[in-house]
Amino acid sequence: MHSIVNKNLKKLRSIVLLTTVLCCFAGNLYAQHINDTLKSVQVDGARKEHKSNDARINVFSPGQKIISIDSVTLQQYQNQSLANLLSQQAPVFIKSYGFNSLSTLNFRGSSAAQSVVLWNGVPIQDAALGIADVSQLPVLLMNKVNLVYGSSAALWGSGNVGGALLLESEQPVFDSNGKKRLSLVGGLGSFSQYTGGIKASISSKRFFLSLDGFGQSAINDFSYKTSLNTDVNLSNARLQGGSVMGQAAYLISDQNTLRLYVWYQSYYREVPAALFERTSVKNYTNGSLRLLLDWNRERVNNTWYTKGAFISDKMHYKDSLSLLNTSNTSYQYYFEGGWKHRINANSQLIVFVPVQASWIVAQDTAENKQQVKAAVAAAYDVKYFHGRLDVALNGRAEMINDIGVLLPGIDASYSLTHWFSLRANVQRTYRAPTLNELYYDPGGNPSLKPEEGWNEDAGYTLKVKLSPDISFYHDLSAFNRVINNWIAWFGGAIWTPHNIATVHSRGLETENKLQWAVNDHWQLHAGLNTSYIIATTQSSYITNDNSINKQIPYTPRYNGQLNVGFSYRRLYFNYNHTYTGYRFITTDESEYILPYNTGNLQLMYDTQVSHYPLSISVQCNNVWNQQYQVVAYRLMPGINWLAGVKFTLL
Amino acid sequence: MGREVYKIVTILFSCLLLLSCVKDKPNSPAVTGSGNVYVVCEGSLGNGDGSLYVYDSKLGTASGDRYYDVNKQTLGDVFQSMQRIGNEFFLCVNNSDKIVVVDAATLQFRGAINVPKPRYILKISNTKAYVSSLFNNKVYIVNPQSLQVTGSIDMPHQNTEGMLLYNNKAFICTWDTATNNLYTIDATVDKISDSISLAGYAPQEILLDKEYKVWVLSGDMHEGRTCAFNRINPDDDKLIKSYIFPAVADPVRPVMNAAGDSIYFIEADVDGGTRYNGIFRMSIYDATLPVTPFITAKKFQYFWALGIDPATGYIYVGDPKGFIQKGTVSVYKPDATLVNQFSVGVGPGHFYFDE
């Protein structure tokens, strides 16, 4: 064994040398990391690697960086939102306007509207705003969570500039024995946080029915120190919400499956006063209905599918102090039909036609504003050298109302050895202006052009076994992206979006993991993810613009996450530490928010009660009791607790 | 083997540190100074970054944020206006619902008056001032000495805005698209005494010319209310003349020159165009509105602050640069020759010339 270790260590030395050389050449790049160190835990049996059911990830993105959130992490955060999970465990900046408040994605220096969120392949960003509030996406309802880094607009469509968050529901399982499943989850925590959920399903030889639900409430009255150093309890911060997702699937034949999903959620939120406000009575209620009908036919070498979805998002915002009482509803129909064909053992082809029609109805005039996107997209994947080289070509021709766009791309990976592989990705990308950007009254700008540009990224992965018990994983990604016609909102009393600038984003991300199975009972893990992002304005139409070569707002240059922990028999422990660097709030770097660290403890224990599996989790967030802000003047809580249980009855 | 792993991790960390070629900590040099021209920088709504800059017109140098420099705390969100009353400045911080009171000589914090959405403060006497308030149908009465709200006057419409005192009669604009009335208040008894019908809706700002006639700018272009200048005789509350702007023009910030015979104002095009965009000037005797800007704004540029130094007649123009970065102030001679340019805080909105 000693010789094996030595041999592997020699190999590692060469790897580290190679890494060092590559890093030295990387220059101004960015680093990021994922926290996927939570492995090999005896929770729900062995840990499963989460892969997508979407062929666009599995087959046609060999050169893209994709991170799958593992099952242990999903279980840890089952009483929380995706915003909490991603902010602590994934290398993406979550711009949170406060505890349990609106949270949006920022991939690699992109804006919220430049990050797409897809549920079972259907874009679910609000059609008017073009953003998704990830604080309203309960982890419990998701079976698979994948993050795709970098642009791949050919595959994922408009808005996929920085990256994509892909969510997938449970796949139906048909069982002639009438398999049933029922589990209940519940949680309580600081600031009167209560959560509850259910996951239930029943299946037969032909049918599968499932119902998942999640509800939560919180008062969020945590205390904080004012600028005068007095302790004050936060007020007007109440949260109440719930989400229900039902699925009915029918196995028409061995190759044909029909699925219907119904997902409804409603949230009521109060918006607490920012630090510069004396009081706040703001609140908003939003409700989303998402219907999805999906048909899938799989043969040996051919798969056909169609999916049709209807989504409506309604928001009612009230602020009696500002005489605001607005209600907006956006709608979208989404249709996609596709065909995947295995040409031979080494090549596959997919062709699909996505059509999306979205519209809003103006509150005052009842005027209907709409946007229609229709595209033909195709991707071809081919493998050479016994699969060591994997190349995918993809392209998309899209019409957005009357504007045509052609989006080509190519990505590839190459396994130099069984422990070291390289990858690269070049894609053209674009983002069509949202309905709000075009038509919001007052301030909408109907003459906006799409943001467009090119994205290049490359990286390598090495996976080595230092010994039979110790494994080491290291991944490095570098990216470069230039986006023209970058849309920025201008204004004081009236805000108006303009195609104002060219923004150059580049960076370097690393993901590092070390795992050691000490013996049959003890397993240790450590992980470090780092990111370094430079996203600067390259040119601008503004007179005497001082933003040239300056970092764009709310894009931390440095970001890092550390996980250290162990599992012992049925006990799992993890310490998670996050660091987020300076965030500028103006385009000329003249105003900024200080960096912050958070430490979070996570504990899980599995046991049985009368033969029924019971999982207990305790999480202590912000253990160092830091007072920090993610967004300027929006408060985040100090140390806080959240305990949860999952009881599996069937 | 543990040492080997340690080395590996150390090397990897070192690699990452080597990559840290851009310093994360920003440079934020403090600039201190004094002067007699105060630049009221609104900040960007919701960012809490209102600031106070000071310009020394003799030296041609600007400094700020002077409020933060002196008091080590931020001013608040949307710093709308300032006014000297006695030996103190009263700073209306609109979205922070307060009027911050500072010593006029040192800018040291003296206290704060909690008033909902304050816009402007009008001195009535040493012990009384009126405060207009956005989203409210009230004029608040405050005592500038005790720093207390002592009462309020209910108005028929929302958004009390520009105010002017003339012969103990306060003229009050209610910037509400539902009204075309200008109201007067008897400042002795704090009650509405009259209303004056205007040529346009949504009265916003108010000035007095050298002939002691009142000029009211009304309108809200974005809400479909065409803007207009209304000239009023304050002695009999009659409308003398009105000037109607084109429907697409959005005039703001009218100011009178020291002689009181010319009005300067901004037309702002927030859509990025150049038409109806710049600084305009008209005589109080002109029969029509000016059509050509005195100082032209460029594409994607519009101005948001305008002031005329009563001592020199120099024209101060503030460019907010979209409220997403620090603004710029340009100083012009009366003949529009550029004299100086300097950087200020986010969203320069008003100038205050302390005499």
Side-chain angles (χ1 to χ4, degrees):
Chain A
M1 177 185 154
H2 196 72
S3 62
I4 296 171
V5 172
N6 280 339
K7 188 178 170 187
N8 281 319
L9 283 174
K10 280 179 186 171
K11 187 193 297 174
L12 251 180
R13 281 193 199 103
S14 60
I15 291 163
V16 171
L17 183 64
L18 178 62
T19 306
T20 309
V21 171
L22 288 171
C23 287
C24 290
F25 279 104
N28 272 7
L29 298 174
Y30 123 166
Q32 200 158 37
H33 19 294
I34 192 169
N35 253 336
D36 215 22
T37 56
L38 316 174
K39 316 287 187 205
S40 309
V41 182
Q42 293 173 3
V43 178
D44 278 356
R47 177 185 176 278
K48 291 179 284 188
E49 282 291 337
H50 269 78
K51 290 294 178 187
S52 173
N53 295 314
D54 197 319
R56 285 175 285 188
I57 283 186
N58 294 338
V59 180
F60 298 101
S61 305
Q64 283 207 267
K65 175 178 177 174
I66 297 169
I67 287 174
S68 299
I69 305 297
D70 65 82
S71 59
V72 174
T73 307
L74 289 177
Q75 187 169 335
Q76 261 185 306
Y77 289 85
Q78 63 188 353
N79 281 304
Q80 299 180 57
S81 70
L82 272 168
N84 291 7
L85 186 156
L86 297 174
S87 64
Q88 293 181 0
Q89 299 290 348
V92 57
F93 176 60
I94 302 296
K95 186 179 176 186
S96 170
Y97 286 79
F99 191 52
N100 281 328
S101 296
L102 170 69
S103 302
T104 56
L105 295 165
N106 176 336
F107 282 98
R108 293 180 166 179
S110 63
S111 67
Q114 294 170 339
S115 308
V116 299
V117 178
L118 296 111
W119 165 59
N120 295 331
V122 175
I124 59 168
Q125 299 105 293
D126 183 296
L129 302 169
I131 64 171
D133 180 358
V134 289
S135 73
Q136 292 189 3
L137 300 174
V139 173
L140 187 74
L141 269 55
M142 302 305 156
N143 198 48
K144 292 183 171 65
V145 176
N146 288 282
L147 296 153
V148 182
Y149 287 80
S151 308
S152 49
L155 292 177
W156 306 109
S158 170
N160 185 227
V161 176
L165 171 64
L166 309 183
L167 310 172
E168 292 175 43
S169 304
E170 184 179 12
Q171 284 286 99
V173 177
F174 300 100
D175 188 328
S176 55
N177 295 322
K179 190 177 179 183
K180 300 182 185 71
R181 181 179 57 82
L182 174 64
S183 60
L184 303 172
V185 301
L188 58 90
S190 307
F191 326 127
S192 305
Q193 292 184 80
Y194 299 99
T195 63
I198 183 172
K199 284 180 85 75
S201 68
I202 183 168
S203 62
S204 68
K205 186 179 177 184
R206 294 275 177 208
F207 288 97
F208 174 83
L209 296 171
S210 72
L211 180 71
D212 297 347
F214 180 76
Q216 65 182 128
S217 73
I219 296 177
N220 295 329
D221 54 346
F222 58 84
S223 69
Y224 64 95
K225 284 201 185 299
T226 66
S227 57
L228 302 173
N229 211 30
T230 53
D231 287 316
V232 176
N233 274 13
L234 194 70
S235 62
N236 197 58
R238 193 178 294 268
L239 160 74
Q240 288 174 330
S243 196
V244 179
M245 186 188 294
Q247 179 186 176
Y250 176 56
L251 186 67
I252 301 166
S253 68
D254 287 347
Q255 294 99 22
N256 281 275
T257 311
L258 189 66
R259 291 178 292 184
L260 172 68
Y261 296 92
V262 180
W263 181 6
Y264 179 74
Q265 65 180 46
S266 177
Y267 275 81
Y268 166 78
R269 274 178 171 161
E270 294 170 345
V271 182
L275 278 172
F276 53 74
E277 289 177 309
R278 197 155 55 87
T279 185
S280 169
V281 294
K282 303 180 189 87
N283 65 69
Y284 63 95
T285 305
N286 51 3
S288 297
L289 174 65
R290 300 171 181 122
L291 304 174
L292 170 61
L293 186 63
D294 175 297
W295 170 76
N296 201 60
R297 177 183 169 86
E298 288 188 33
R299 301 294 296 270
V300 178
N301 291 323
N302 294 287
T303 301
W304 292 269
Y305 70 89
T306 60
K307 58 180 75 175
F310 170 76
I311 295 173
S312 79
D313 293 293
K314 181 172 186 177
M315 176 183 277
H316 184 195
Y317 180 86
K318 284 201 291 189
D319 179 10
S320 57
L321 294 180
S322 298
L323 306 180
L324 283 172
N325 188 356
T326 61
S327 189
N328 295 293
T329 307
S330 62
Y331 305 90
Q332 55 180 308
Y333 281 117
Y334 183 83
F335 170 82
E336 184 177 315
W339 168 59
K340 182 167 78 74
H341 176 59
R342 179 182 291 276
I343 299 165
N344 55 45
N346 291 319
S347 58
Q348 296 188 63
L349 173 72
I350 187 170
V351 179
F352 56 101
V353 180
V355 178
Q356 184 179 17
S358 49
W359 71 97
I360 51 174
V361 180
Q363 185 182 16
D364 297 333
T365 62
E367 196 178 358
N368 196 333
K369 298 290 187 185
Q370 65 177 13
Q371 185 177 61
V372 178
K373 301 175 199 163
V376 177
Y380 172 70
D381 179 81
V382 60
K383 294 180 174 62
Y384 298 100
F385 311 124
H386 306 289
R388 293 174 74 171
L389 176 63
D390 191 349
V391 181
L393 292 165
N394 43 56
R396 186 184 189 106
E398 182 151 343
M399 289 295 293
I400 309 154
N401 287 348
D402 54 352
I403 299 172
V405 188
L406 188 62
L407 300 161
I410 181 170
D411 61 306
S413 66
Y414 183 71
S415 297
L416 280 168
T417 70
H418 68 280
W419 50 266
F420 185 77
S421 63
L422 298 166
R423 63 174 182 274
N425 175 42
V426 179
Q427 304 272 346
R428 184 165 185 238
T429 188
Y430 85 110
R431 181 180 78 86
T434 65
L435 288 168
N436 258 25
E437 288 169 334
L438 292 166
Y439 307 118
Y440 188 76
D441 184 22
N445 182 355
S447 60
L448 279 179
K449 292 178 278 191
E451 298 175 324
E452 52 83 23
W454 283 89
N455 170 86
E456 304 94 30
D457 58 271
Y460 65 83
T461 302
L462 62 89
K463 296 178 188 174
V464 289
K465 280 253 179 204
L466 299 175
S467 77
D469 304 322
I470 299 177
S471 61
F472 178 71
Y473 175 92
H474 169 70
D475 182 277
L476 182 142
S477 297
F479 74 91
N480 183 66
R481 185 181 67 230
V482 177
I483 299 293
N484 301 309
N485 295 325
W486 186 277
I487 295 172
W489 285 80
F490 270 28
I494 306 291
W495 286 83
T496 301
H498 296 291
N499 294 105
I500 217 74
T502 296
V503 174
H504 182 199
S505 307
R506 59 277 194 200
L508 190 70
E509 306 161 329
T510 68
E511 181 186 357
N512 310 283
K513 302 175 205 166
L514 189 66
Q515 290 180 280
W516 183 12
V518 180
N519 55 40
D520 288 346
H521 301 307
W522 281 96
Q523 293 183 344
L524 307 179
H525 66 258
L528 174 69
N529 304 312
T530 64
S531 73
Y532 175 56
I533 300 173
I534 299 296
T536 52
T537 306
Q538 201 173 44
S539 63
S540 161
Y541 296 127
I542 308 174
T543 305
N544 300 324
D545 194 347
N546 288 319
S547 71
I548 305 300
N549 296 323
K550 302 287 174 59
Q551 187 84 347
I552 62 173
Y554 284 107
T555 298
R557 289 191 187 112
Y558 296 92
N559 197 296
Q561 295 153 333
L562 172 77
N563 281 287
V564 182
F566 65 87
S567 63
Y568 174 70
R569 294 180 185 271
R570 294 173 179 272
L571 180 69
Y572 170 81
F573 170 84
N574 183 59
Y575 173 74
N576 165 257
H577 194 96
T578 70
Y579 171 80
T580 303
Y582 288 89
R583 282 90 64 225
F584 296 102
I585 60 176
T586 50
T587 57
D588 59 355
E589 298 185 359
S590 59
E591 295 177 9
Y592 54 86
I593 321 174
L594 295 174
Y596 64 87
N597 289 274
T598 65
N600 310 292
L601 291 174
Q602 292 141 352
L603 196 67
M604 281 201 298
Y605 183 70
D606 271 13
T607 185
Q608 287 193 334
V609 175
S610 302
H611 305 292
Y612 295 114
L614 175 69
S615 176
I616 301 167
S617 64
V618 178
Q619 188 160 337
C620 180
N621 292 315
N622 196 4
V623 294
W624 311 117
N625 204 28
Q626 296 291 299
Q627 185 158 324
Y628 69 100
Q629 298 159 23
V630 180
V631 171
Y633 298 102
R634 271 68 180 184
L635 292 158
M636 300 299 282
I639 186 168
N640 63 92
W641 296 83
L642 186 64
V645 294
K646 178 182 180 184
F647 198 31
T648 304
L649 295 165
L650 295 171
Chain B
M1 185 184 66
R3 285 183 181 177
E4 294 295 334
V5 172
Y6 175 78
K7 282 178 188 170
I8 293 163
V9 174
T10 304
I11 291 167
L12 287 173
F13 266 103
S14 305
C15 292
L16 295 173
L17 289 173
L18 283 172
L19 289 165
S20 307
C21 49
V22 173
K23 243 186 184 176
D24 203 21
K25 189 172 184 180
N27 291 320
S28 49
V31 181
T32 58
S34 60
N36 65 322
V37 181
Y38 293 84
V39 187
V40 175
C41 299
E42 295 180 14
S44 180
L45 176 65
N47 277 348
D49 54 353
S51 60
L52 177 62
Y53 276 65
V54 181
Y55 177 68
D56 187 322
S57 56
K58 291 185 180 126
L59 296 175
T61 56
S63 58
D65 171 8
R66 294 293 297 129
Y67 180 81
Y68 183 84
D69 292 343
V70 172
N71 299 291
K72 301 304 174 200
Q73 57 180 322
T74 53
L75 192 50
D77 198 38
V78 187
F79 176 21
Q80 179 66 26
S81 66
M82 68 182 285
Q83 179 66 48
R84 176 194 274 266
I85 300 178
N87 294 323
E88 289 162 336
F89 286 135
F90 287 69
L91 318 179
C92 294
V93 190
N94 180 28
N95 204 37
S96 293
D97 299 307
K98 64 182 179 183
I99 299 171
V100 175
V101 184
V102 297
D103 184 278
T106 64
L107 298 180
Q108 281 194 326
F109 179 79
R110 288 281 177 260
I113 310 171
N114 293 330
V115 177
K117 305 286 181 279
R119 297 283 283 183
Y120 300 97
I121 185 165
L122 175 70
K123 180 187 172 186
I124 304 297
S125 69
N126 287 337
T127 56
K128 185 162 79 175
Y130 288 166
V131 178
S132 58
S133 174
L134 190 67
F135 307 128
N136 284 287
N137 64 336
K138 290 181 190 303
V139 170
Y140 290 91
I141 306 168
V142 299
N143 185 326
Q145 293 181 347
S146 66
L147 309 187
Q148 297 294 314
V149 176
T150 57
S152 66
I153 305 163
D154 286 343
M155 302 299 293
H157 293 280
Q158 306 279 356
N159 304 332
T160 53
E161 184 77 358
M163 300 180 293
L164 176 79
L165 187 67
Y166 177 79
N167 284 347
N168 212 37
K169 184 160 70 171
F171 291 81
I172 310 293
C173 296
T174 51
W175 191 31
D176 185 331
T177 54
T179 183
N180 63 341
N181 284 338
L182 176 72
Y183 294 92
T184 62
I185 290 174
D186 182 338
T188 309
V189 294
D190 303 325
K191 291 195 181 307
I192 294 176
S193 55
D194 199 359
S195 67
I196 305 162
S197 187
L198 304 174
Y201 283 76
Q204 185 183 2
E205 304 200 51
I206 189 163
L207 308 165
L208 191 68
D209 68 23
K210 70 173 189 178
E211 295 186 338
Y212 298 100
K213 299 295 183 289
V214 170
W215 289 73
V216 175
L217 174 64
S218 62
D220 188 339
M221 185 271 279
H222 299 284
E223 293 295 322
R225 290 300 191 190
T226 300
C227 299
F229 268 131
N230 307 263
R231 194 172 188 225
I232 295 161
N233 184 341
D235 295 318
D236 60 8
D237 293 349
K238 299 290 185 198
L239 181 66
I240 302 168
K241 185 172 175 55
S242 60
Y243 303 77
I244 309 297
F245 284 86
V248 293
D250 187 17
V252 292
R253 306 284 192 266
V255 292
M256 195 71 71
N257 65 350
D261 59 5
S262 293
I263 297 174
Y264 293 71
F265 58 92
I266 297 170
E267 284 188 14
D269 183 350
V270 299
D271 293 331
T274 52
R275 204 175 173 208
Y276 304 113
N277 199 4
I279 306 296
F280 291 75
R281 177 174 63 177
M282 67 181 286
S283 162
I284 60 171
Y285 305 114
D286 282 352
T288 58
L289 290 166
V291 293
T292 309
F294 177 61
I295 298 166
T296 308
K298 297 191 171 85
K299 191 171 168 60
F300 294 116
Q301 180 188 40
Y302 64 90
F303 304 125
W304 199 243
L306 177 62
I308 299 177
D309 189 337
T312 62
Y314 280 18
I315 303 154
Y316 288 69
V317 178
D319 177 357
K321 294 184 178 177
F323 292 82
I324 56 175
Q325 57 180 286
K326 293 181 83 168
T328 300
V329 169
S330 303
V331 184
Y332 298 89
K333 287 181 181 174
D335 64 359
T337 307
L338 183 66
V339 175
N340 197 7
Q341 252 183 353
F342 55 92
S343 180
V344 293
V346 174
H350 282 86
F351 298 101
Y352 184 77
F353 301 93
D354 193 34
E355 298 173 27

